[in-house]
């Protein structure tokens, strides 16, 4: 049997690492695994060598490796050994490897999400994946810890893990980009400042996706304010179709379904056709007019219309804040679940007559919503990663008035980040502070 060992030089100052450098605590223990499978050469970093020991006769040969640019991706640990999936009976029927980039990969949401991705829960039992994890200088050690846990979990479908702090490296060939990382809102921080700070992050990530990701990459923006961050990211990635960008409002949809089910005394799988309109903020509009319970219009099942217009709407809008008060932290686990739901809604055909919510680009929408913003609307998918907007929805004055309010907020946010979308000089005239409490 052959044992592959990778020794990589790296520089460490306090806890700061260069993005193209890899810290391995013990190269020999990291790669002292015996494999019977063939593998292709590992990704290489500067000054790297591979030493192969043949255990039968203890003959050891040094194999020189051509140095690569420091901008090469940084694989981690056992994931530097890539198997030939077509050579093994149990894997040769698997699909082609899918590259999934995740920003904020050392955070709490990712801590739940990455293991769902690696287990096959999201893309299926025959879909191998590569995880490309983006962190920051401050989080690089935590990111290594995440990679270690992924190693120890022995997920057969997880074939590659690479980590780094440079999006131009990490996003290389990404087919899905789950953009979770964002600066949280601190005490005394103006909302306009948060829009600018996080907007700069998403402008840079949009440029990186545009430069190195697959041109059909699907992008789901989670970091808040996610609608406007998605718009900024999209505007900085002109080579990627605008339809490929989503702002996550699936958690809001899930919360709305739960509250309707509780009120109606049914399990939540009986609630369908739930739309969240607009911004992921407290102006969002959970649509009970078009939603259904056990196939019936909600208002035929729940007769208390005052509850629907007041308590239900406010409960959904402020659910995140209540959770923080109870739990002492934001809703990381349920957010991760909602990201999984959002992906599945795009890669699985939508059940006949149903739909799902996603923040998408408004150009060409059939509802009269102003164009050139990212706005949560009802969508259907054929399961090919694409979607179409649902046309068979109805409106009343209550719903239209609420939609106009959240539309006005998004237009104000857009003006506030005009310098990041190529639309001139920014000015902020935000009507009120409607950020979700989870952003504080």
């Amino acid at each position: 049997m052959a044992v592959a060992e990778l020794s990589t030089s790296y520089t460490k100052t306090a806890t700061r690492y260069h993005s193209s450098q890899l810290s391995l605590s013990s190269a020999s223990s990291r790669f002292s695994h015996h494999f019977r499978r063939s593998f292709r050469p590992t990704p290489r970093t500067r000054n790297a060598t591979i030493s192969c020991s043949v255990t039968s006769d203890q003959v050891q040969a040094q194999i020189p490796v051509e140095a690569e640019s420091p901008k090469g991706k940084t694989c981690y640990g056992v994931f530097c050994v890539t198997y030939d999936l077509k050579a093994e009976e149990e894997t040769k029927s698997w699909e082609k490897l899918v590259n999934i980039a995740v920003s904020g990969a050392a955070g709490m949401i990712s801590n739940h999400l990455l293991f769902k991705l690696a287990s096959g829960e999201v893309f299926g039992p025959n879909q191998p994946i590569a995880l490309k994890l983006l962190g920051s200088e401050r989080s690089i050690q935590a990111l290594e810890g995440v990679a270690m846990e992924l190693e120890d979990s022995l997920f057969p479908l997880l074939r590659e893990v690479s980590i780094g702090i440079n999006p131009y490296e990490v996003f290389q060939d990404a087919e899905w980009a789950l953009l979770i990382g964002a600066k949280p809102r601190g005490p005394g921080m103006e909302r306009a400042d948060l829009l600018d700070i996080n907007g700069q992050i998403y402008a840079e990530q949009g440029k990186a996706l545009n430069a190195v990701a697959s041109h059909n990459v699907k992008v789901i923006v989670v970091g808040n304010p996610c609608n406007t961050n998605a718009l900024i990211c999209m505007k900085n990635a002109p080579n990627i179709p605008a339809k490929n960008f989503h702002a996550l409002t699936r958690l809001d949809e899930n919360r709305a379904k739960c509250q309707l089910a509780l009120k109606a005394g049914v399990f939540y799988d009986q609630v369908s056709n739930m739309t969240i309109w607009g911004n992921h903020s407290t102006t969002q509009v959970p649509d009970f007019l078009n939603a259904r319970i056990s196939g019936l219009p909600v208002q035929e099942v729940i007769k208390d219309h005052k509850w629907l217009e007041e308590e239900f709407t406010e409960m959904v809008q402020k659910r995140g804040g209540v959770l923080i008060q109870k739990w002492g932290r934001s809703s990381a686990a349920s957010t991760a679940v909602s990201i999984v739901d959002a992906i599945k809604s795009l890669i699985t055909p939508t059940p006949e007559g149903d739909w799902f919510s996603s923040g998408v680009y408004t150009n060409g929408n059939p509802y009269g919503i102003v164009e050139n913003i990212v706005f949560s609307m009802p969508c259907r998918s054929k399961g090919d990663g694409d979607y179409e907007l649902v046309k068979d929805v109805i409106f009343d004055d209550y719903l239209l008035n609420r939609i106009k309010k959240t539309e006005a907020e998004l237009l104000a946010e857009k003006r506030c980040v005009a310098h990041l979308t190529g639309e001139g000089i920014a000015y902020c005239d935000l009507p009120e502070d409607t950020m979700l409490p989870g952003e504080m």
Side-chain angles (χ1 to χ4, degrees):
M1 295 184 183
V3 181
E5 181 175 310
L6 176 69
S7 63
T8 308
S9 64
Y10 66 97
T11 303
K12 178 178 177 184
T13 305
T15 58
R16 295 182 180 272
Y17 295 77
H18 189 276
S19 62
S20 65
Q21 294 167 329
L22 176 64
S23 172
L24 296 178
S25 59
S26 175
S28 60
S29 64
R30 179 69 60 201
F31 291 100
S32 62
H33 307 287
H34 291 256
F35 298 99
R36 283 194 288 263
R37 299 172 181 174
S38 61
F39 53 88
R40 60 181 188 262
T42 63
R44 308 169 181 115
T45 53
R46 184 174 295 278
N47 299 328
T49 62
I50 296 177
S51 63
C52 295
S53 60
V54 183
T55 57
S56 59
D57 57 8
Q58 301 300 311
V59 176
Q60 190 173 63
Q62 292 289 332
I63 303 175
V65 177
E66 182 180 352
E68 256 191 2
S69 163
K71 291 192 175 182
K73 72 176 182 179
T74 305
C75 63
Y76 188 86
V78 73
F79 300 109
C80 292
V81 177
T82 304
Y83 303 99
D84 180 0
L85 300 179
K86 296 301 181 184
E88 297 296 320
E89 188 66 31
E90 64 269 31
T91 63
K92 67 182 182 182
S93 63
W94 284 4
E95 304 292 335
K96 181 183 175 183
L97 192 79
V98 168
N99 294 304
I100 305 166
V102 182
S103 76
M108 289 302 297
I109 295 172
S110 295
N111 192 46
H112 295 279
L113 175 65
L114 295 176
F115 296 86
K116 292 179 176 292
L117 293 167
S119 71
E121 177 184 340
V122 184
F123 290 94
N126 294 314
Q127 180 59 74
I129 66 168
L131 288 176
K132 307 161 87 62
L133 308 182
L134 180 66
S136 64
E137 288 188 357
R138 189 177 63 178
S139 70
I140 190 66
Q141 281 193 316
L143 202 55
E144 291 178 356
V146 170
M148 290 170 67
E149 280 210 275
L150 288 167
E151 280 186 311
D152 296 344
S153 298
L154 303 181
F155 291 116
L157 291 166
L158 181 58
R159 291 291 161 159
E160 296 179 26
V161 171
S162 55
I163 63 176
I165 64 174
N166 184 341
Y168 287 87
E169 298 171 6
V170 176
F171 292 169
Q172 185 75 43
D173 300 321
E175 295 158 275
W176 288 84
L178 312 177
L179 305 184
I180 300 170
K183 181 178 177 63
R185 189 177 185 183
M189 182 183 291
E190 294 291 333
R191 186 167 160 219
D193 294 335
L194 185 69
L195 282 163
D196 180 61
I197 292 169
N198 282 335
Q200 292 183 49
I201 293 171
Y202 280 86
E204 185 64 19
Q205 291 185 2
K207 292 172 184 176
L209 288 169
N210 193 65
V212 301
S214 163
H215 287 324
N216 198 37
V217 60
K218 304 297 188 291
V219 183
I220 298 178
V221 174
V222 181
N224 285 312
C226 64
N227 292 62
T228 298
N229 285 342
L231 180 69
I232 293 167
C233 191
M234 182 195 75
K235 291 291 187 180
N236 283 276
N239 294 334
I240 300 170
K243 279 192 72 176
N244 288 19
F245 289 83
H246 298 258
L248 185 74
T249 57
R250 187 55 171 267
L251 180 55
D252 304 312
E253 176 188 330
N254 291 351
R255 288 168 170 169
K257 286 181 173 178
C258 180
Q259 295 306 315
L260 289 177
L262 284 169
K263 185 68 172 178
V266 300
F267 202 62
Y268 41 74
D269 62 355
Q270 296 300 303
V271 183
S272 63
N273 303 85
M274 186 70 229
T275 306
I276 300 296
W277 296 94
N279 200 6
H280 177 63
S281 78
T282 49
T283 66
Q284 66 176 263
V285 187
D287 179 2
F288 57 81
L289 180 63
N290 289 283
R292 304 182 81 83
I293 298 175
S294 302
L296 298 172
V298 165
Q299 291 176 308
E300 291 183 18
V301 179
I302 300 174
K303 306 292 187 181
D304 188 347
H305 292 180
K306 182 178 180 182
W307 178 87
L308 288 168
E309 292 185 359
E310 297 176 6
E311 292 183 51
F312 164 67
T313 298
E314 185 172 341
M315 275 193 293
V316 177
Q317 292 172 336
K318 297 184 178 180
R319 178 77 166 181
V322 174
L323 189 144
I324 290 171
Q325 291 173 356
K326 299 282 188 181
W327 181 227
R329 62 188 73 175
S330 60
S331 48
S334 55
T335 300
V337 170
S338 72
I339 297 170
V340 169
D341 290 342
I343 297 171
K344 285 183 173 180
S345 290
L346 291 169
I347 62 175
T348 308
T350 306
E352 184 68 28
D354 202 0
W355 59 70
F356 60 91
S357 301
S358 188
V360 295
Y361 197 43
T362 52
N363 281 18
N365 79 87
Y367 316 117
I369 294 167
V370 68
E371 297 199 337
N372 204 26
I373 57 175
V374 171
F375 198 95
S376 185
M377 297 181 284
C379 304
R380 288 192 180 109
S381 177
K382 296 177 182 178
D384 56 358
D386 202 355
Y387 68 91
E388 60 182 17
L389 295 175
V390 176
K391 295 179 181 178
D392 49 337
V393 294
I394 58 175
F395 298 90
D396 61 9
D397 289 341
Y398 172 86
L399 182 56
L400 286 171
N401 288 336
R402 291 294 182 118
I403 286 175
K404 286 297 180 185
K405 181 177 180 180
T406 194
E407 179 187 84
E409 180 179 61
L410 282 168
L411 286 170
E413 288 188 11
K414 179 186 170 186
R415 291 190 291 271
C416 207
V417 297
H419 60 302
L420 299 173
T421 60
E423 298 181 23
I425 298 173
Y427 69 98
C428 290
D429 57 344
L430 300 170
E432 55 182 313
D433 195 338
T434 56
M435 281 289 183
L436 292 174
E439 292 153 16
M440 295 297 290

